[in-house]
Each structure stands twice: as structure tokens, then as C-alpha cells.
């Protein structure tokens, strides 16, 4: 079995042990053995990043741009291979995997350009003869902690801006899916970026998470993952006075109004609730449907669900692969039971599937007769489980859409300009979709939420500079 090591200070180094990376579509298929770092190795990575920082922070921006562009070019050239690896380790379908790899390549290309666009401001001083300049400088060494559900796009959208704006990084990917992060590190290792600027440290959050967050050599933390872990990291960063950015869970609403195009509403709801096995932070798990369209919509969703092909993520013609792990499968099936126990009706799917290979397969589940106070409508499941909340009209739909501790993405299906406009203004989510799935966003504009979904400044697009730089105000007597 091939062994994959950490990348520290420009060298590939073995950690304390190795763990297998297993294909969730076929448990007999082991992708490789990936090393597991301990706290001492993490220390070496942070020290290497600190040593590399002064030269990188003040280095030539054309060289930086060229390196990021080269990384993006290689990812795009290898998108099919990387997308296949992604599908094999995470369980997204191969086309979804290729799409995610493409996004990662485009992100590096975008931030290659951003290297040359980091602007400041010059203002008149209130004091005669004095000039005021406002500039942005890198934060220092940044710890990047990523989840398993976007194993190449999320590392890309943290690493690319961090490097573009002159920071050094220590990336800790999710231990469930280290393959894509390792492949990204291997591409970065040949890009001309100096030793120590980028470091990959693989391992379990419970072993190296705390040492990374609390390390005195780490100046800021960018985290994407669950609310529980994110909240704990925020507390640690508050104690240590570190800048922190958290992107966490969602319980995203999709409103369907009486005047919606039914076929369009059905398709976008099925896509955002169940594709990628519902394992997207922007997936819509609460379908809020008004009385007049209710029966047609529910029948339409059930009919579309009956056509979904669930199978091996690498097989052709598959709509939905397995869920990512045994633990996630148990959580998903558990929430179907919780919903039923709370009084919901399971009207489609919700059972474990036995296919040709042993994998974590589940038929997407649709629950009706649900109310806003049920756990199934308040807690993130993070699987192919969606529930329907029936409402009388737009006002009640808007109330229920916002009636959640989360606020990441929210959608409305309507042909009414009045309701679409009102919803864009009054939704309490960070991202709002009109007649589009709640999942599926552009790579060059801000991404993030409100309430319990996000903390700190936005990721992606030029808004990423809020987190990855710090502002300096300089006064000069002319
Ligand atoms: P998770 O919180 O379990 O793990 C995320 C990362 O944190 C992993 O790398 C993990 O090893 C690490 N970690 C675990 N314990 C840690 C600790 N004590 N200290 C530091 N790091 C630690 O999340 P997950 O299961 O990998 O991902 C699923 C979650 O991610 C869902 O809640 C989903 O909504 C969320 N997510 C959010 C976004 C977004 O941008 N809002 C995007 C994708 C996923």
C-alpha cells in the first residue's frame, strides 16, 4: 500500500503512525495509508512557517502570482484525475468531483491575480502637512482546518488567499479524506513556493487540533467544520487573542410559493437537498411549501426521487454516491428515526441500501408533516434527509425560513418579483438564491453566513483579504 507523508519545511516526512483512507463506495478499496502527525511534528511545521514568513511577506508579488497561477493551471489540467480521487475518497459522483477540482483550480487562478490587486488608500490628514496611508499587510502564520465534504475546494479557498496576501500556512485537512489535500500539497511542492511557506500536517483533530489552535506561533485560524468544534476553537482563540474565521453548519430553508414553476421548484429542491448526498453546508434540508402548491410539489419531489440512481461514486450515470462514513450513515439513519418519533411521516426513501459493493449507501429520505420545533428541523443532519414544512403563505414562509439558529444559505422559488425582492432583503442568511438551489455558488464572490453558521469575516473573492490581512495606518509629515 502506498504511503503518503506530511509536507513540512519543503520535505516529505513521516508522522507518528499511518491510517488507511477508505473508499466509502467500496470498503475493500483502500486509497492509501496517510501519515498521522503528533504535536511535535506540528511544532516543526509552525516553526518552519514562522522562519519562512519574513521573506515571503516582503517578497516579489509577481513571483507569488506566477506560483499560484502555476498551481491553478496544473489542477485544471489534472481535474479529471483529481476529481476521480475526490469521488473515490469522499463519495461525491465523479462529475461532481471534477467540478470541485475545477473550482479549486479557478480559485488559485483568481488569487494569482489578487496578488497584484491588493490596494491601500491615501487620505488627506486633518493636520496640515501630514499624509495618511492605509495599507494591508499579511497576518503571519495561519492555521487552516478543513472538513471532509469539500476535500479540495475548501483547502484551495483557504490556502490560495492566505499565500496571495503574503501569509505562511499550516494546513490540517480532515483525517477522513486526506487524499485531495495531499495531492494539492504535492502540486504546491513543485510550484516554486519556498520551503516552509506551505506546510501540510495530516492527523486527527482530537490529537493535533488543540496544539494547532493554541500554538503561540500561529497568528490566526481559519476553520470550516461543525458548530461544536468551531465554537470551541472560537473560545480558545478568544483566550489567546487570535484572529479567527469560522464557517460552520446550516439548516438551510428552501421556500416554494404557490406561484412557483412546479417543475423548476421540484428539480432545484431535489438537487439542493439530496445531491452530493446532502453533505453540503448549503444543502436545503427544510422545504417550506405554501398550501396551494403543496400537493403538486410533494408528488413531484417523490416522483423525481424515484428516478434517482444511487451507486458507486465512480460509476457512470449515478446521481448520488454513498455517504462519507459509517458514523455519518448512522447519524443520517438516526435522524430519520428521530423525525418519525417526533410525528413526521416518512414518504420516500430513508432506508439503508445493499449494493454490489459494500459501502455507506442510503436512499435519500423525505419527511412530511413536520413542524418547526422538531429536532429534524432545528439540527443539522448533514446527510440526504429533507423535511417539508407546510405554511399558509409568504409571510409565514419567511418567518419559518428565518426560524433557525443557522443562517448560511436560503432559497425561494417564485415567479413574483415582489416576493423575490422582499425575500432577498429580509432573509437572515448570508447567501440568498432566487429560483436556484441553495447549494452551488461562484468562486469569485463572498461566501459565508450569519447567526450560528459563521463567525468572523467572509471567505472567497476579494473579501477574503479582510481575514488574511491586517490594516496599517501610517502618518508622514511632508
Ligand atoms: P468537524 O468539525 O468534525 O471537523 C472539521 C475539522 O476540524 C477537521 O479537520 C477535524 O479534524 C478538525 N477538528 C476536530 N476536532 C478539533 C479540535 N478539537 N480542534 C481543532 N480541530 C479539530 O466537521 P466535519 O465533520 O469534517 O465537516 C462537516 C461540517 O462542516 C458540517 O457541520 C458542515 O455544515 C460544515 N461545513 C461548513 C461549510 C461552510 O463553509 N459553512 C463548508 C463545508 C462544511
Amino acid at each position: 500500500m502506498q504511503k503518503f507523508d506530511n509536507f513540512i519545511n519543503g520535505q516529505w516526512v513521516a508522522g507518528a503512525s499511518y491510517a488507511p483512507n477508505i473508499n466509502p463506495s467500496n470498503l475493500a478499496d483502500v486509497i492509501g495509508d496517510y501519515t498521522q502527525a503528533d504535536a511535535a511534528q506540528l511544532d516543526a511545521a509552525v516553526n518552519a512557517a514562522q522562519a519562512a514568513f519574513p521573506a515571503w511577506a516582503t517578497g516579489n508579488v509577481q513571483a507569488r502570482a506566477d506560483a499560484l497561477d502555476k498551481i491553478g493551471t496544473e489542477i485544471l489540467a489534472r481535474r479529471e484525475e483529481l476529481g476521480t480521487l475526490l469521488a473515490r475518497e469522499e463519495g461525491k459522483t465523479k462529475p461532481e468531483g471534477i467540478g470541485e477540482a475545477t473550482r479549486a483550480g479557478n480559485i488559485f487562478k483568481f488569487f494569482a491575480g489578487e496578488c497584484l490587486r491588493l490596494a491601500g488608500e491615501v487620505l488627506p490628514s486633518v493636520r496640515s502637512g501630514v499624509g495618511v496611508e492605509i495599507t494591508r499587510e499579511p497576518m503571519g502564520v495561519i492555521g487552516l482546518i478543513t472538513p471532509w465534504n469539500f476535500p479540495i475546494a475548501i483547502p484551495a479557498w483557504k490556502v490560495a488567499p492566505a499565500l496571495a496576501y503574503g501569509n505562511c500556512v499550516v494546513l490540517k485537512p480532515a483525517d477522513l479524506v486526506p487524499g485531495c489535500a495531499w495531492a494539492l500539497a504535492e502540486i504546491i511542492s513543485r510550484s516554486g513556493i519556498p520551503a516552509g511557506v506551505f506546510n501540510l500536517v495530516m492527523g486527527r483533530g482530537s490529537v493535533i487540533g488543540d496544539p494547532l489552535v493554541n500554538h503561540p506561533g500561529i497568528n490566526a485560524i481559519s476553520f470550516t467544520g461543525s458548530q461544536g468544534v468551531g465554537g470551541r476553537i472560537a473560545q480558545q482563540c478568544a483566550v489567546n487573542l487570535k484572529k479567527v474565521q469560522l464557517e460552520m453548519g446550516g439548516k438551510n430553508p428552501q421556500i416554494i410559493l404557490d406561484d412557483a414553476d412546479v417543475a423548476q421548484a421540484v428539480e432545484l429542491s431535489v438537487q439542493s437537498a439530496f445531491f452530493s448526498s446532502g453533505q453540503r453546508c448549503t444543502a436545503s434540508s427544510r422545504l417550506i411549501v405554501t398550501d396551494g402548491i403543496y400537493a403538486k410539489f410533494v408528488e413531484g419531489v417523490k416522483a423525481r426521487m424515484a428516478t434517482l440512481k444511487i451507486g458507486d461514486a465512480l460509476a457512470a450515470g449515478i446521481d448520488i454516491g454513498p455517504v462519507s462514513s459509517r458514523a455519518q450513515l448512522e447519524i443520517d439513519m438516526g435522524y430519520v428515526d428521530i423525525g418519525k418519533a417526533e410525528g413526521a411521516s416518512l414518504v420516500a426513501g430513508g432506508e439503508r441500501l445493499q449494493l454490489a459493493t459494500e459501502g455507506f449507501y442510503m436512499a435519500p429520505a423525505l419527511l412530511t408533516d413536520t413542524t418547526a420545533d422538531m429536532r429534524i428541523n432545528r439540527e443539522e443532519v448533514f446527510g440526504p434527509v429533507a423535511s417539508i414544512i407546510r405554511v399558509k403563505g409568504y409571510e409565514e414562509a419567511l418567518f419559518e425560513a428565518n426560524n433557525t439558529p443557522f443562517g448560511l444559505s436560503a432559497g425561494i422559488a417564485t415567479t413574483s418579483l415582489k416576493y423575490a425582492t422582499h425575500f432577498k432583503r429580509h432573509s437572515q442568511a448570508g447567501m440568498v438564491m432566487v429560483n436556484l438551489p441553495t447549494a452551488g455558488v461562484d468562486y469569485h464572490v463572498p461566501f459565508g453566513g450569519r447567526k450560528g453558521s459563521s463567525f468572523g469575516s467572509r471567505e472567497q473573492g476579494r473579501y477574503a483579504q479582510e481575514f488574511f490581512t491586517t490594516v496599517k495606518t501610517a502618518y508622514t509629515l511632508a
Side-chain angles (χ1 to χ4, degrees):
M1 186 55 59
Q2 194 178 349
K3 286 187 155 40
F4 296 88
D5 288 336
N6 289 324
F7 187 66
I8 298 172
N9 203 17
Q11 305 291 320
W12 295 102
V13 283
S17 58
Y18 287 87
N21 183 0
I22 293 167
N23 177 351
S25 297
N26 176 5
L27 306 190
D29 176 29
V30 179
I31 296 153
D33 286 330
Y34 288 76
T35 206
Q36 305 282 292
D38 58 14
Q41 209 171 35
L42 179 81
D43 198 42
V46 177
N47 291 340
Q50 281 290 352
F53 177 66
W56 180 250
T58 54
N60 182 280
V61 289
Q62 184 65 57
R64 249 189 241 167
D66 289 346
L68 293 189
D69 188 65
K70 189 173 172 193
I71 296 164
T73 301
E74 180 167 344
I75 294 172
L76 292 176
R78 291 173 55 195
R79 65 179 96 184
E80 170 116 15
E81 174 207 336
L82 292 168
T84 304
L85 170 64
L86 199 164
R88 193 173 160 212
E89 74 170 346
E90 198 268 349
K92 279 195 179 89
T93 64
K94 193 170 152 185
E96 287 173 330
I98 294 169
E100 187 181 328
T102 304
R103 179 187 183 88
N106 286 334
I107 287 167
F108 273 94
K109 293 262 183 193
F110 176 86
F111 282 105
E114 283 296 280
C115 294
L116 310 179
R117 284 193 287 264
L118 188 62
E121 289 179 72
V122 178
L123 277 75
S125 169
V126 294
R127 288 170 284 168
S128 301
V130 174
V132 189
E133 293 159 32
I134 303 166
T135 51
R136 288 188 176 272
E137 297 183 1
M139 285 296 301
V141 175
I142 308 201
L144 308 176
I145 303 175
T146 57
W148 50 258
N149 66 326
F150 283 94
I152 194 159
I154 295 181
W157 83 51
K158 294 187 190 296
V159 171
L163 299 185
Y165 299 132
N167 302 282
C168 294
V169 302
V170 176
L171 168 64
K172 194 214 89 60
D175 50 302
L176 190 66
V177 290
C180 286
W182 189 92
L184 176 63
E186 199 279 326
I187 293 171
I188 293 173
S189 76
R190 291 180 285 96
S191 65
I193 285 178
V197 170
F198 169 88
N199 303 276
L200 173 76
V201 178
M202 299 180 287
R204 297 184 70 86
S206 55
V207 177
I208 54 172
D210 282 356
L212 176 60
V213 173
N214 293 316
H215 197 294
I218 291 283
N219 304 106
I221 292 285
S222 178
F223 166 87
T224 301
S226 61
Q227 207 185 38
V229 175
R232 186 186 147 102
I233 289 175
Q235 286 177 8
Q236 292 170 327
C237 287
V239 170
N240 294 310
L241 301 176
K242 282 183 191 176
K243 194 174 184 181
V244 63
Q245 173 182 60
L246 309 170
E247 286 299 341
M248 301 169 286
K251 195 71 203 171
N252 307 297
Q254 172 65 57
I255 293 176
I256 296 99
L257 294 187
D258 285 355
D259 64 16
D261 174 326
V262 184
Q264 183 188 60
V266 164
E267 189 57 33
L268 68 85
S269 299
V270 169
Q271 290 240 1
S272 52
F274 303 128
F275 279 48
S276 299
S277 304
Q279 298 175 153
R280 294 182 286 193
C281 49
T282 47
S284 51
S285 48
R286 294 184 299 137
L287 307 176
I288 301 168
V289 189
T290 49
D291 272 337
I293 199 170
Y294 184 85
K296 275 183 285 183
F297 177 77
V298 174
E299 282 317 304
V301 171
K302 281 164 62 184
R304 179 70 176 98
M305 287 174 75
T307 69
L308 293 174
K309 293 191 180 61
I310 293 125
D312 189 315
L314 295 175
I318 290 302
D319 296 306
I320 298 172
V323 303
S324 61
S325 66
R326 191 179 305 281
Q328 189 61 52
L329 181 65
E330 281 166 11
I331 291 170
D332 299 343
M333 300 295 292
Y335 269 106
V336 173
D337 290 340
I338 288 169
K340 286 194 287 187
E342 286 177 315
S345 310
L346 179 66
V347 295
E351 67 274 4
R352 180 139 195 216
L353 299 176
Q354 304 295 337
L355 303 182
T357 52
E358 194 194 346
F360 304 124
Y361 297 106
M362 171 182 174
L366 183 68
L367 296 156
T368 58
D369 304 319
T370 77
T371 53
D373 55 333
M374 292 179 175
R375 282 182 64 194
I376 195 78
N377 281 325
R378 298 209 72 76
E379 299 169 14
E380 183 183 52
V381 177
F382 217 54
V385 180
S387 50
I388 296 191
I389 302 173
R390 185 172 182 160
V391 292
K392 291 195 168 50
Y394 172 73
E395 293 302 329
E396 192 183 350
L398 174 66
F399 175 83
E400 291 305 347
N402 289 334
N403 182 11
T404 169
F406 295 100
L408 189 56
S409 182
I412 187 165
T414 180
T415 51
S416 157
L417 181 63
K418 179 180 134 191
Y419 289 134
T421 306
H422 191 272
F423 187 64
K424 280 190 276 185
R425 172 68 187 84
H426 294 279
S427 163
Q428 293 170 1
M431 296 176 290
V432 181
M433 313 291 178
V434 178
N435 294 324
L436 286 166
T438 53
V441 294
D442 289 1
Y443 65 84
H444 66 303
V445 290
F447 177 96
R450 298 182 185 176
K451 301 200 273 189
S453 290
S454 299
F455 183 84
S457 53
R458 288 283 186 268
E459 296 199 84
Q460 302 193 53
R462 68 182 165 78
Y463 287 73
Q465 61 183 245
E466 285 302 326
F467 179 75
F468 288 106
T469 66
T470 182
V471 161
K472 181 178 277 174
T473 313
Y475 298 87
T476 310
L477 180 62

